[in-house]
PDB file of all heavy atoms in Angstrom:
ATOM      1  N   SER A  24      14.435  74.740 179.248  1.00 96.00           N
ATOM      2  CA  SER A  24      13.452  75.403 178.537  1.00 96.00           C
ATOM      3  C   SER A  24      13.682  76.925 178.502  1.00 96.00           C
ATOM      4  O   SER A  24      13.431  77.591 177.530  1.00 96.00           O
ATOM      5  CB  SER A  24      12.103  75.109 179.134  1.00 96.00           C
ATOM      6  OG  SER A  24      12.016  75.565 180.497  1.00 96.00           O
ATOM      7  N   TYR A  81     -14.421  92.751 195.816  1.00 92.00           N
ATOM      8  CA  TYR A  81     -14.843  91.327 195.631  1.00 92.00           C
ATOM      9  C   TYR A  81     -13.901  90.382 196.379  1.00 92.00           C
ATOM     10  O   TYR A  81     -14.259  89.419 196.952  1.00 92.00           O
ATOM     11  CB  TYR A  81     -14.794  90.956 194.127  1.00 92.00           C
ATOM     12  CG  TYR A  81     -15.688  91.801 193.282  1.00 92.00           C
ATOM     13  CD1 TYR A  81     -15.316  92.249 192.042  1.00 92.00           C
ATOM     14  CD2 TYR A  81     -17.002  92.249 193.743  1.00 92.00           C
ATOM     15  CE1 TYR A  81     -16.122  93.051 191.216  1.00 92.00           C
ATOM     16  CE2 TYR A  81     -17.782  93.051 192.961  1.00 92.00           C
ATOM     17  CZ  TYR A  81     -17.332  93.474 191.705  1.00 92.00           C
ATOM     18  OH  TYR A  81     -18.155  94.204 190.958  1.00 92.00           O
ATOM     19  N   THR A 111      -6.278  84.748 189.934  1.00 93.00           N
ATOM     20  CA  THR A 111      -7.243  83.716 189.619  1.00 93.00           C
ATOM     21  C   THR A 111      -8.610  84.315 189.913  1.00 93.00           C
ATOM     22  O   THR A 111      -8.623  85.283 190.669  1.00 93.00           O
ATOM     23  CB  THR A 111      -6.989  82.397 190.460  1.00 93.00           C
ATOM     24  OG1 THR A 111      -8.083  81.564 190.332  1.00 93.00           O
ATOM     25  CG2 THR A 111      -6.844  82.772 191.970  1.00 93.00           C
ATOM     26  N   LYS A 160      -5.419  79.096 181.523  1.00 98.00           N
ATOM     27  CA  LYS A 160      -6.805  78.774 181.280  1.00 98.00           C
ATOM     28  C   LYS A 160      -7.420  78.461 182.582  1.00 98.00           C
ATOM     29  O   LYS A 160      -6.975  77.612 183.350  1.00 98.00           O
ATOM     30  CB  LYS A 160      -6.921  77.553 180.326  1.00 98.00           C
ATOM     31  CG  LYS A 160      -8.360  77.132 179.887  1.00 98.00           C
ATOM     32  CD  LYS A 160      -9.230  76.566 180.931  1.00 98.00           C
ATOM     33  CE  LYS A 160      -8.627  75.208 181.417  1.00 98.00           C
ATOM     34  NZ  LYS A 160      -9.497  74.670 182.590  1.00 98.00           N
ATOM     35  N   ALA A 174     -19.675  65.241 188.276  1.00 96.00           N
ATOM     36  CA  ALA A 174     -19.677  65.137 186.826  1.00 96.00           C
ATOM     37  C   ALA A 174     -18.909  66.220 186.093  1.00 96.00           C
ATOM     38  O   ALA A 174     -18.130  65.851 185.216  1.00 96.00           O
ATOM     39  CB  ALA A 174     -21.169  65.073 186.332  1.00 96.00           C
ATOM     40  N   VAL A 186      -5.954  67.055 176.592  1.00 98.00           N
ATOM     41  CA  VAL A 186      -5.053  68.227 176.294  1.00 98.00           C
ATOM     42  C   VAL A 186      -3.585  67.844 176.443  1.00 98.00           C
ATOM     43  O   VAL A 186      -2.731  68.024 175.570  1.00 98.00           O
ATOM     44  CB  VAL A 186      -5.330  69.399 177.326  1.00 98.00           C
ATOM     45  CG1 VAL A 186      -4.252  70.446 177.295  1.00 98.00           C
ATOM     46  CG2 VAL A 186      -6.646  70.051 176.970  1.00 98.00           C
ATOM     47  N   VAL A 215       6.384  65.260 184.210  1.00 96.00           N
ATOM     48  CA  VAL A 215       7.587  64.715 184.804  1.00 96.00           C
ATOM     49  C   VAL A 215       8.786  65.409 184.245  1.00 96.00           C
ATOM     50  O   VAL A 215       9.056  65.429 183.026  1.00 96.00           O
ATOM     51  CB  VAL A 215       7.675  63.154 184.481  1.00 96.00           C
ATOM     52  CG1 VAL A 215       8.891  62.553 185.061  1.00 96.00           C
ATOM     53  CG2 VAL A 215       6.406  62.471 184.951  1.00 96.00           C
ATOM     54  N   SER A 229       4.178  50.021 189.134  1.00 91.00           N
ATOM     55  CA  SER A 229       2.835  50.328 188.605  1.00 91.00           C
ATOM     56  C   SER A 229       2.800  51.819 188.243  1.00 91.00           C
ATOM     57  O   SER A 229       3.779  52.538 188.366  1.00 91.00           O
ATOM     58  CB  SER A 229       1.816  50.026 189.654  1.00 91.00           C
ATOM     59  OG  SER A 229       1.944  50.979 190.678  1.00 91.00           O
ATOM     60  N   ASP A 230       1.567  52.259 187.800  1.00 87.00           N
ATOM     61  CA  ASP A 230       1.498  53.663 187.448  1.00 87.00           C
ATOM     62  C   ASP A 230       1.002  54.536 188.702  1.00 87.00           C
ATOM     63  O   ASP A 230       0.624  55.647 188.534  1.00 87.00           O
ATOM     64  CB  ASP A 230       0.596  53.949 186.269  1.00 87.00           C
ATOM     65  CG  ASP A 230      -0.820  53.382 186.392  1.00 87.00           C
ATOM     66  OD1 ASP A 230      -1.135  52.889 187.569  1.00 87.00           O
ATOM     67  OD2 ASP A 230      -1.578  53.329 185.473  1.00 87.00           O
ATOM     68  N   GLU A 236       2.112  64.320 200.355  1.00 85.00           N
ATOM     69  CA  GLU A 236       1.040  64.557 201.382  1.00 85.00           C
ATOM     70  C   GLU A 236      -0.099  63.513 201.256  1.00 85.00           C
ATOM     71  O   GLU A 236      -0.805  63.297 202.236  1.00 85.00           O
ATOM     72  CB  GLU A 236       0.364  65.949 201.103  1.00 85.00           C
ATOM     73  CG  GLU A 236       1.231  67.117 201.538  1.00 85.00           C
ATOM     74  CD  GLU A 236       2.015  67.617 200.376  1.00 85.00           C
ATOM     75  OE1 GLU A 236       2.710  66.861 199.701  1.00 85.00           O
ATOM     76  OE2 GLU A 236       1.879  68.822 200.057  1.00 85.00           O
ATOM     77  N   GLU A 244      -1.209  43.836 209.040  1.00 92.00           N
ATOM     78  CA  GLU A 244      -2.224  43.117 209.799  1.00 92.00           C
ATOM     79  C   GLU A 244      -1.836  43.200 211.211  1.00 92.00           C
ATOM     80  O   GLU A 244      -0.661  43.182 211.667  1.00 92.00           O
ATOM     81  CB  GLU A 244      -2.102  41.625 209.404  1.00 92.00           C
ATOM     82  CG  GLU A 244      -2.541  41.316 208.031  1.00 92.00           C
ATOM     83  CD  GLU A 244      -4.085  41.207 207.903  1.00 92.00           C
ATOM     84  OE1 GLU A 244      -4.683  40.594 208.818  1.00 92.00           O
ATOM     85  OE2 GLU A 244      -4.658  41.756 207.020  1.00 92.00           O
ATOM     86  N   ALA A 254       6.103  44.005 229.504  1.00 93.00           N
ATOM     87  CA  ALA A 254       6.847  45.244 229.373  1.00 93.00           C
ATOM     88  C   ALA A 254       7.671  45.434 230.618  1.00 93.00           C
ATOM     89  O   ALA A 254       7.220  45.099 231.723  1.00 93.00           O
ATOM     90  CB  ALA A 254       5.863  46.395 229.197  1.00 93.00           C
ATOM     91  N   VAL A 256      10.491  48.380 232.626  1.00 94.00           N
ATOM     92  CA  VAL A 256      11.171  49.641 232.685  1.00 94.00           C
ATOM     93  C   VAL A 256      12.650  49.419 232.900  1.00 94.00           C
ATOM     94  O   VAL A 256      12.965  48.653 233.803  1.00 94.00           O
ATOM     95  CB  VAL A 256      10.484  50.563 233.687  1.00 94.00           C
ATOM     96  CG1 VAL A 256      11.335  51.893 233.782  1.00 94.00           C
ATOM     97  CG2 VAL A 256       9.062  50.864 233.299  1.00 94.00           C
ATOM     98  N   ALA A 263      18.739  60.281 225.540  1.00 81.00           N
ATOM     99  CA  ALA A 263      17.632  61.158 225.088  1.00 81.00           C
ATOM    100  C   ALA A 263      17.552  61.137 223.551  1.00 81.00           C
ATOM    101  O   ALA A 263      16.495  61.607 222.982  1.00 81.00           O
ATOM    102  CB  ALA A 263      17.874  62.628 225.617  1.00 81.00           C
ATOM    103  N   ARG A 295      -4.825  73.825 216.482  1.00 94.00           N
ATOM    104  CA  ARG A 295      -5.830  74.724 216.814  1.00 94.00           C
ATOM    105  C   ARG A 295      -6.915  74.638 215.713  1.00 94.00           C
ATOM    106  O   ARG A 295      -6.541  74.946 214.475  1.00 94.00           O
ATOM    107  CB  ARG A 295      -5.335  76.123 216.915  1.00 94.00           C
ATOM    108  CG  ARG A 295      -6.316  77.187 217.358  1.00 94.00           C
ATOM    109  CD  ARG A 295      -5.699  78.437 217.896  1.00 94.00           C
ATOM    110  NE  ARG A 295      -4.958  79.129 216.805  1.00 94.00           N
ATOM    111  CZ  ARG A 295      -4.323  80.310 217.067  1.00 94.00           C
ATOM    112  NH1 ARG A 295      -4.377  80.881 218.213  1.00 94.00           N
ATOM    113  NH2 ARG A 295      -3.663  80.856 216.072  1.00 94.00           N
ATOM    114  N   LEU A 320       1.851  66.297 207.843  1.00 94.00           N
ATOM    115  CA  LEU A 320       1.128  66.596 209.121  1.00 94.00           C
ATOM    116  C   LEU A 320       0.103  67.732 208.912  1.00 94.00           C
ATOM    117  O   LEU A 320      -1.045  67.620 209.305  1.00 94.00           O
ATOM    118  CB  LEU A 320       2.095  67.015 210.228  1.00 94.00           C
ATOM    119  CG  LEU A 320       1.571  67.237 211.612  1.00 94.00           C
ATOM    120  CD1 LEU A 320       0.882  65.958 212.219  1.00 94.00           C
ATOM    121  CD2 LEU A 320       2.619  67.756 212.583  1.00 94.00           C
ATOM    122  N   ALA A 327      -7.329  72.466 210.552  1.00 89.00           N
ATOM    123  CA  ALA A 327      -6.677  72.981 211.799  1.00 89.00           C
ATOM    124  C   ALA A 327      -5.268  73.362 211.507  1.00 89.00           C
ATOM    125  O   ALA A 327      -4.580  72.899 210.667  1.00 89.00           O
ATOM    126  CB  ALA A 327      -6.729  71.807 212.801  1.00 89.00           C
ATOM    127  N   GLU A 328      -4.780  74.371 212.350  1.00 91.00           N
ATOM    128  CA  GLU A 328      -3.413  74.826 212.265  1.00 91.00           C
ATOM    129  C   GLU A 328      -2.546  73.834 213.161  1.00 91.00           C
ATOM    130  O   GLU A 328      -3.073  73.227 214.096  1.00 91.00           O
ATOM    131  CB  GLU A 328      -3.248  76.189 212.963  1.00 91.00           C
ATOM    132  CG  GLU A 328      -3.781  77.380 212.248  1.00 91.00           C
ATOM    133  CD  GLU A 328      -3.609  78.543 213.167  1.00 91.00           C
ATOM    134  OE1 GLU A 328      -2.536  79.204 213.103  1.00 91.00           O
ATOM    135  OE2 GLU A 328      -4.499  78.820 213.936  1.00 91.00           O
ATOM    136  N   LEU A 331       4.837  73.612 216.337  1.00 92.00           N
ATOM    137  CA  LEU A 331       5.758  72.874 217.257  1.00 92.00           C
ATOM    138  C   LEU A 331       5.555  73.486 218.640  1.00 92.00           C
ATOM    139  O   LEU A 331       5.065  74.587 218.864  1.00 92.00           O
ATOM    140  CB  LEU A 331       7.178  73.102 216.818  1.00 92.00           C
ATOM    141  CG  LEU A 331       7.515  72.472 215.408  1.00 92.00           C
ATOM    142  CD1 LEU A 331       8.969  72.878 215.026  1.00 92.00           C
ATOM    143  CD2 LEU A 331       7.345  70.983 215.442  1.00 92.00           C
ATOM    144  N   ARG A 359      -4.286  63.951 223.243  1.00 96.00           N
ATOM    145  CA  ARG A 359      -4.695  63.173 222.029  1.00 96.00           C
ATOM    146  C   ARG A 359      -3.522  62.504 221.494  1.00 96.00           C
ATOM    147  O   ARG A 359      -2.464  63.140 221.176  1.00 96.00           O
ATOM    148  CB  ARG A 359      -5.285  64.144 220.989  1.00 96.00           C
ATOM    149  CG  ARG A 359      -6.063  63.472 219.932  1.00 96.00           C
ATOM    150  CD  ARG A 359      -6.964  64.523 219.211  1.00 96.00           C
ATOM    151  NE  ARG A 359      -7.133  64.182 217.832  1.00 96.00           N
ATOM    152  CZ  ARG A 359      -6.896  64.952 216.766  1.00 96.00           C
ATOM    153  NH1 ARG A 359      -6.469  66.216 216.965  1.00 96.00           N
ATOM    154  NH2 ARG A 359      -7.048  64.583 215.569  1.00 96.00           N
ATOM    155  N   ASP A 363       1.371  56.162 214.019  1.00 96.00           N
ATOM    156  CA  ASP A 363       1.672  55.804 212.663  1.00 96.00           C
ATOM    157  C   ASP A 363       0.811  54.512 212.370  1.00 96.00           C
ATOM    158  O   ASP A 363       0.774  53.645 213.283  1.00 96.00           O
ATOM    159  CB  ASP A 363       3.141  55.621 212.514  1.00 96.00           C
ATOM    160  CG  ASP A 363       3.568  55.219 211.115  1.00 96.00           C
ATOM    161  OD1 ASP A 363       3.770  56.203 210.372  1.00 96.00           O
ATOM    162  OD2 ASP A 363       3.697  54.025 210.808  1.00 96.00           O
ATOM    163  N   PRO A 364       0.384  54.291 211.100  1.00 95.00           N
ATOM    164  CA  PRO A 364      -0.340  53.073 210.821  1.00 95.00           C
ATOM    165  C   PRO A 364       0.418  51.773 211.005  1.00 95.00           C
ATOM    166  O   PRO A 364      -0.133  50.672 211.152  1.00 95.00           O
ATOM    167  CB  PRO A 364      -0.662  53.177 209.320  1.00 95.00           C
ATOM    168  CG  PRO A 364      -0.468  54.608 208.920  1.00 95.00           C
ATOM    169  CD  PRO A 364       0.430  55.235 209.928  1.00 95.00           C
ATOM    170  N   ASP A 395      -5.451  56.834 220.497  1.00 95.00           N
ATOM    171  CA  ASP A 395      -6.804  57.433 220.042  1.00 95.00           C
ATOM    172  C   ASP A 395      -7.065  57.180 218.619  1.00 95.00           C
ATOM    173  O   ASP A 395      -8.154  57.536 218.096  1.00 95.00           O
ATOM    174  CB  ASP A 395      -6.825  58.898 220.367  1.00 95.00           C
ATOM    175  CG  ASP A 395      -6.659  59.212 221.904  1.00 95.00           C
ATOM    176  OD1 ASP A 395      -7.319  58.435 222.664  1.00 95.00           O
ATOM    177  OD2 ASP A 395      -5.911  60.071 222.273  1.00 95.00           O
ATOM    178  N   THR A 415       7.940  49.324 194.750  1.00 95.00           N
ATOM    179  CA  THR A 415       8.320  50.221 195.794  1.00 95.00           C
ATOM    180  C   THR A 415       8.284  51.633 195.294  1.00 95.00           C
ATOM    181  O   THR A 415       8.324  51.902 194.056  1.00 95.00           O
ATOM    182  CB  THR A 415       9.744  49.942 196.325  1.00 95.00           C
ATOM    183  OG1 THR A 415      10.675  49.996 195.271  1.00 95.00           O
ATOM    184  CG2 THR A 415       9.788  48.510 196.930  1.00 95.00           C
ATOM    185  N   ARG A 450     -31.510  76.652 196.278  1.00 95.00           N
ATOM    186  CA  ARG A 450     -30.404  75.711 196.413  1.00 95.00           C
ATOM    187  C   ARG A 450     -29.080  76.557 196.241  1.00 95.00           C
ATOM    188  O   ARG A 450     -28.941  77.256 195.362  1.00 95.00           O
ATOM    189  CB  ARG A 450     -30.412  74.729 195.255  1.00 95.00           C
ATOM    190  CG  ARG A 450     -31.677  73.906 195.092  1.00 95.00           C
ATOM    191  CD  ARG A 450     -31.651  72.673 196.018  1.00 95.00           C
ATOM    192  NE  ARG A 450     -32.911  72.076 195.913  1.00 95.00           N
ATOM    193  CZ  ARG A 450     -33.286  71.146 194.978  1.00 95.00           C
ATOM    194  NH1 ARG A 450     -32.398  70.849 194.038  1.00 95.00           N
ATOM    195  NH2 ARG A 450     -34.410  70.602 194.992  1.00 95.00           N
ATOM    196  N   VAL A 517       4.387  76.585 157.019  1.00 98.00           N
ATOM    197  CA  VAL A 517       5.716  76.429 156.537  1.00 98.00           C
ATOM    198  C   VAL A 517       6.607  77.643 157.002  1.00 98.00           C
ATOM    199  O   VAL A 517       6.232  78.760 156.988  1.00 98.00           O
ATOM    200  CB  VAL A 517       5.755  76.466 155.003  1.00 98.00           C
ATOM    201  CG1 VAL A 517       7.135  76.147 154.400  1.00 98.00           C
ATOM    202  CG2 VAL A 517       4.689  75.503 154.435  1.00 98.00           C
ATOM    203  N   ARG A 522      17.145  83.303 153.677  1.00 95.00           N
ATOM    204  CA  ARG A 522      18.082  84.378 153.958  1.00 95.00           C
ATOM    205  C   ARG A 522      19.318  84.327 152.967  1.00 95.00           C
ATOM    206  O   ARG A 522      19.809  83.161 152.789  1.00 95.00           O
ATOM    207  CB  ARG A 522      18.582  84.276 155.381  1.00 95.00           C
ATOM    208  CG  ARG A 522      17.488  84.725 156.385  1.00 95.00           C
ATOM    209  CD  ARG A 522      18.055  84.519 157.787  1.00 95.00           C
ATOM    210  NE  ARG A 522      18.298  83.125 158.181  1.00 95.00           N
ATOM    211  CZ  ARG A 522      18.776  82.702 159.322  1.00 95.00           C
ATOM    212  NH1 ARG A 522      19.084  83.529 160.268  1.00 95.00           N
ATOM    213  NH2 ARG A 522      18.938  81.411 159.528  1.00 95.00           N
ATOM    214  N   THR A 541       9.697  68.657 160.744  1.00 97.00           N
ATOM    215  CA  THR A 541      10.106  68.131 159.503  1.00 97.00           C
ATOM    216  C   THR A 541      10.981  69.235 158.800  1.00 97.00           C
ATOM    217  O   THR A 541      10.659  70.409 158.748  1.00 97.00           O
ATOM    218  CB  THR A 541       8.935  67.797 158.598  1.00 97.00           C
ATOM    219  OG1 THR A 541       8.164  66.808 159.284  1.00 97.00           O
ATOM    220  CG2 THR A 541       9.365  67.224 157.247  1.00 97.00           C
ATOM    221  N   GLY A 548      22.780  69.339 146.261  1.00 92.00           N
ATOM    222  CA  GLY A 548      22.192  68.226 145.489  1.00 92.00           C
ATOM    223  C   GLY A 548      21.231  68.625 144.381  1.00 92.00           C
ATOM    224  O   GLY A 548      20.859  67.881 143.498  1.00 92.00           O
TER     225      GLY A 548
END
Side-chain angles (χ1 to χ4, degrees):
S24 62
Y81 304 141
T111 170
K160 184 285 298 175
V186 166
V215 180
S229 71
D230 58 8
E236 288 94 304
E244 292 278 317
V256 174
R295 184 162 65 180
L320 183 63
E328 286 176 88
L331 297 173
R359 191 163 152 233
D363 184 84
D395 297 317
T415 57
R450 303 274 174 86
V517 188
R522 291 176 294 177
T541 302

